Amino acid sequence: MSSKSTNLQPQVSEALCSDPPTLVRPPPTRLARHYVAVERADLDFSSYPSNTETFIPSIHDAQYCQGILRNFENFSPQTNCDIFQFVRGQGCLERDIDGRGVNTFLEEAIKRIPRIPSVGASPRALPSEPETHVIFCSLVKPSAIGPNFRLQSSLSLNTTKKLLEHYQISPQFVPFLLGEPNYGAPGSFSIHDVNGHLAKSGKYTPFSRTKVDPDPNTTTTFVEFFCQHPRWNVLEVQQPWSVYMSYDIPIKRTFYLVVTGVNCPKTTLVKDRLFQSFCQNQDHHIARRSFADPFFIHTLISHESLNDLKPVMTVLRTHLYDQLDEVDAYARKPSDRGSLEKLTTELHKISQDADSLLASADMAIMVTDRMLESHQLVRHLFTYAKYDEYNKIEAALSFLRHSAQSNKRWMESYKNRKDIAMNLVFNLVTQQDAYTNILIAREAKRDGSSMKIIAALTTFFLPATFVATLFGMAFFDFSDGAFTVAPNTWVYAAVTMPVMAVTVLVWWVWDRITVGSRMKGLLFARRESVTDDIEALKGRMVARVALDKAEKMR
């Protein structure tokens, strides 16, 4: 793959030209369902990360890291990345760099490293202009299921190992390089020497090309900070934005490794803003700015990450206001109850989105706080002439932190308004149900009054009906003007009385059975409760006896 070197030109991002976000929610695709467990093998102490000085055994799992690097499916067959360099006061972007291009880039970077002499030798002037190297790589989703985190890096395995060893990248960043979501804190690590200075015992020996004399007292001050920015819209952006930075203090060299999703429009915006800030343009007489503060790109990416929240907040706010209008309209004039079901579902979705954004806002605040803490470590490196630049980055980070807090307060306000609307919906439903119950009670009362009238009429006519029925039977004869009673009238009583007795007996037996089963259930539950209390009391008594024996033995 050929490399193409160009100066950065301002480009209009696809995100700025695209249509406004809609309320259509795409079906979620859970990448975690396709994760492949990392295979653990015997630890190779001569390989990364065991041979790096950024390795911290207490929190870095070397076997886990080496298992990721052994999986060839995690990396592309050929390297494809973009490299931005700020060298000797000029910025330049090289696009579509392959593995050979990365090797050439590293070789040239090594040549520019000044030799730090041994004790007693004549010193060589360290560079006065800072250097910045930024490698942009992407994450793609391969068709085959084989990568550990379902995503594949655009870097080859060979290129990845060279970068990890050359820049002494923290092993904690290796999973982020492959898109594993980070639910922990950002990383800010450094090593201090016996004098309390930030230091990393550095021997620039990548590719067996030693640039530092073998003096064990030689130290290279070093600061690193890496983080993973929150994904404000997880349903659409599943590739997290991971950024690693290291700053080599004596040679004023800053290195960034930026990992984003493939064709991420925000990456283009970052490159455009780098051009606007640091690429000299003679035609437009753009003033060349300094690149002394190593946290500039971290601040820039944090700002773009926070800008990702704007369209998501707009969608959430619009969706919420639409539902609030529906609630107000329903409160003024209740209509179909079916609309309330849809309204409740939409408010529930708003609640889920608000909770997700609140968690992301907390993560953004934590990232900015950790970045401010790490930025304090390089404060003493700035002279009075450069302190203004440090102060501007410090102020920018504080601004981003307060902006994230402000957005969090707005999201909390939106969620509170959603809760108020949900309570209003529940109250409206409760009021309607209460009104319906009142109507039912009125109808029941009206029916009860009717039943009373019917019962009174029945009671009034029942004796006459009984007498008419009794004398209408064949046992009585009123013909020929004489009243006669049949001799077998006793049959009526002999049949009626046993049937009545059997009916009453069946009802009584059924009632006893149902009442007995209910009582047994209650007694069993009470017995279980009493048994548990007794067992607990026995346990306390045994423990008390044991304590008394122990006291006596003392």
Side-chain angles (χ1 to χ4, degrees):
M1 184 178 298
S2 61
S3 63
K4 181 171 59 177
S5 177
T6 61
N7 284 333
L8 289 174
Q9 298 296 332
Q11 300 176 3
V12 179
S13 172
E14 297 177 3
L16 301 179
C17 299
S18 59
D19 296 333
T22 61
L23 299 179
V24 178
R25 299 167 65 93
T29 303
R30 310 294 183 189
L31 294 179
R33 295 176 179 174
H34 306 285
Y35 282 5
V36 178
V38 177
E39 295 183 1
R40 291 177 174 270
D42 294 337
L43 183 62
D44 185 1
F45 292 94
S46 62
S47 300
Y48 179 90
S50 300
N51 60 351
T52 60
E53 297 177 9
T54 54
F55 176 62
I56 305 176
S58 58
I59 60 174
H60 295 158
D61 190 345
Q63 279 186 315
Y64 182 79
C65 183
Q66 290 184 0
I68 293 176
L69 296 177
R70 288 193 187 97
N71 187 356
F72 293 95
E73 298 295 334
N74 289 330
F75 307 93
S76 300
Q78 295 182 347
T79 296
N80 184 10
C81 64
D82 295 344
I83 299 179
F84 170 79
Q85 296 187 72
F86 183 82
V87 180
R88 298 185 179 93
Q90 180 63 37
C92 180
L93 175 70
E94 297 181 9
R95 299 180 183 274
D96 299 330
I97 301 298
D98 57 8
R100 292 183 179 180
V102 174
N103 290 340
T104 303
F105 161 75
L106 294 177
E107 293 281 349
E108 293 177 353
I110 293 172
K111 292 178 182 179
R112 291 193 300 271
I113 297 176
R115 181 182 299 276
I116 301 177
S118 302
V119 178
S122 59
R124 179 179 175 181
L126 294 176
S128 59
E129 288 288 344
E131 284 191 14
T132 299
H133 306 159
V134 186
I135 296 181
F136 296 93
C137 61
S138 58
L139 297 170
V140 296
K141 187 188 299 183
S143 57
I145 299 178
N148 293 117
F149 310 113
R150 190 62 180 93
L151 298 174
Q152 189 178 72
S153 174
S154 62
L155 302 177
S156 66
L157 178 58
N158 186 33
T159 301
T160 301
K161 289 183 177 180
K162 288 181 180 179
L163 292 175
L164 293 175
E165 294 177 359
H166 177 78
Y167 289 104
Q168 299 283 292
I169 296 177
S170 173
Q172 193 169 344
F173 188 76
V174 173
F176 305 163
L177 183 62
L178 302 174
E180 181 187 23
N182 176 27
Y183 299 102
S188 177
F189 299 103
S190 57
I191 301 175
H192 294 74
D193 60 13
V194 294
N195 297 320
H197 299 150
L198 290 173
K200 185 187 80 169
S201 299
K203 299 290 188 295
Y204 284 96
T205 57
F207 318 125
S208 301
R209 297 190 58 178
T210 302
K211 297 296 292 182
V212 180
D213 292 337
D215 182 3
N217 297 322
T218 302
T219 59
T220 303
T221 51
F222 181 85
V223 176
E224 65 175 352
F225 180 85
F226 55 90
C227 64
Q228 194 173 89
H229 292 276
R231 293 168 292 170
W232 302 105
N233 194 347
V234 181
L235 294 177
E236 294 183 0
V237 182
Q238 297 196 7
Q239 291 83 3
W241 194 331
S242 305
V243 184
Y244 174 86
M245 181 216 74
S246 63
Y247 181 49
D248 206 336
I249 297 174
I251 61 175
K252 301 179 181 179
R253 176 170 293 177
T254 305
F255 168 72
Y256 275 89
L257 181 58
V258 182
V259 184
T260 59
V262 63
N263 298 326
C264 178
K266 287 297 182 179
T267 306
T268 304
L269 286 177
V270 169
K271 297 173 185 177
D272 293 345
R273 293 179 64 178
L274 286 175
F275 166 81
Q276 297 165 5
S277 300
F278 300 106
C279 292
Q280 189 175 9
N281 192 321
Q282 298 293 344
D283 296 334
H284 297 84
H285 303 287
I286 298 178
R288 180 170 58 84
R289 293 175 172 84
S290 175
F291 215 142
D293 197 309
F295 283 84
F296 177 87
I297 295 182
H298 259 311
T299 308
L300 174 62
I301 294 177
S302 298
H303 182 245
E304 288 298 337
S305 175
L306 192 61
N307 285 339
D308 283 340
L309 176 60
K310 292 181 180 179
V312 181
M313 285 278 286
T314 301
V315 171
L316 178 66
R317 181 171 56 252
T318 304
H319 194 189
L320 174 62
Y321 288 168
D322 290 342
Q323 305 312 313
L324 293 180
D325 292 340
E326 293 289 338
V327 173
D328 294 339
Y330 190 89
R332 289 192 298 268
K333 185 178 180 181
S335 57
D336 183 19
R337 289 285 294 270
S339 60
L340 285 182
E341 181 179 355
K342 180 181 178 182
L343 186 60
T344 305
T345 303
E346 294 300 324
L347 290 175
H348 178 66
K349 292 179 181 178
I350 292 174
S351 180
Q352 288 183 323
D353 294 340
D355 285 336
S356 177
L357 290 179
L358 283 173
S360 298
D362 285 331
M363 185 64 186
I365 294 172
M366 181 177 63
V367 168
T368 311
D369 286 339
R370 290 287 291 163
M371 203 176 297
L372 282 167
E373 294 175 5
S374 185
H375 190 238
Q376 292 286 339
L377 298 177
V378 299
R379 181 174 185 175
H380 67 282
L381 304 176
F382 290 85
T383 61
Y384 289 105
K386 297 291 185 180
Y387 188 76
D388 180 66
E389 184 173 351
Y390 168 85
N391 188 54
K392 288 180 178 178
I393 296 298
E394 188 82 5
L397 290 174
S398 299
F399 167 77
L400 293 176
R401 184 183 187 279
H402 291 301
S403 298
Q405 289 178 333
S406 176
N407 286 314
K408 180 183 177 182
R409 283 192 290 269
W410 276 109
M411 285 182 281
E412 290 175 345
S413 174
Y414 295 154
K415 188 176 180 181
N416 291 334
R417 296 189 66 178
K418 184 276 307 176
D419 293 337
I420 294 173
M422 186 71 78
N423 292 333
L424 178 59
V425 170
F426 289 155
N427 291 334
L428 291 175
V429 172
T430 303
Q431 291 176 6
Q432 289 186 355
D433 291 341
Y435 180 71
T436 303
N437 292 333
I438 292 174
L439 294 180
I440 294 174
R442 290 178 179 176
E443 293 296 330
K445 184 178 180 180
R446 187 179 296 111
D447 293 341
S449 300
S450 301
M451 293 301 296
K452 286 181 179 180
I453 296 174
I454 295 174
L457 292 175
T458 302
T459 304
F460 178 77
F461 289 105
L462 183 60
T465 303
F466 173 74
V467 172
T469 303
L470 180 64
F471 286 103
M473 291 188 298
F475 296 110
F476 303 97
D477 186 11
F478 294 93
S479 61
D480 300 333
F483 175 72
T484 58
V485 179
N488 56 351
T489 306
W490 60 271
V491 176
Y492 173 75
V495 174
T496 303
M497 298 304 293
V499 171
M500 292 176 61
V502 170
T503 303
V504 173
L505 179 62
V506 170
W507 170 81
W508 182 83
V509 171
W510 176 259
D511 184 68
R512 292 296 92 190
I513 292 175
T514 55
V515 172
S517 61
R518 289 196 298 268
M519 291 299 296
K520 286 182 179 179
L522 293 175
L523 291 175
F524 178 77
R526 184 176 181 182
R527 189 181 302 113
E528 288 291 328
S529 177
V530 173
T531 303
D532 294 340
D533 294 340
I534 293 174
E535 292 295 331
L537 181 60
K538 288 182 179 179
R540 288 195 294 269
M541 292 179 64
V542 171
R544 183 60 180 272
V545 171
L547 289 175
D548 292 341
K549 289 183 179 179
E551 291 292 337
K552 291 179 180 179
M553 292 179 64
R554 290 180 182 177

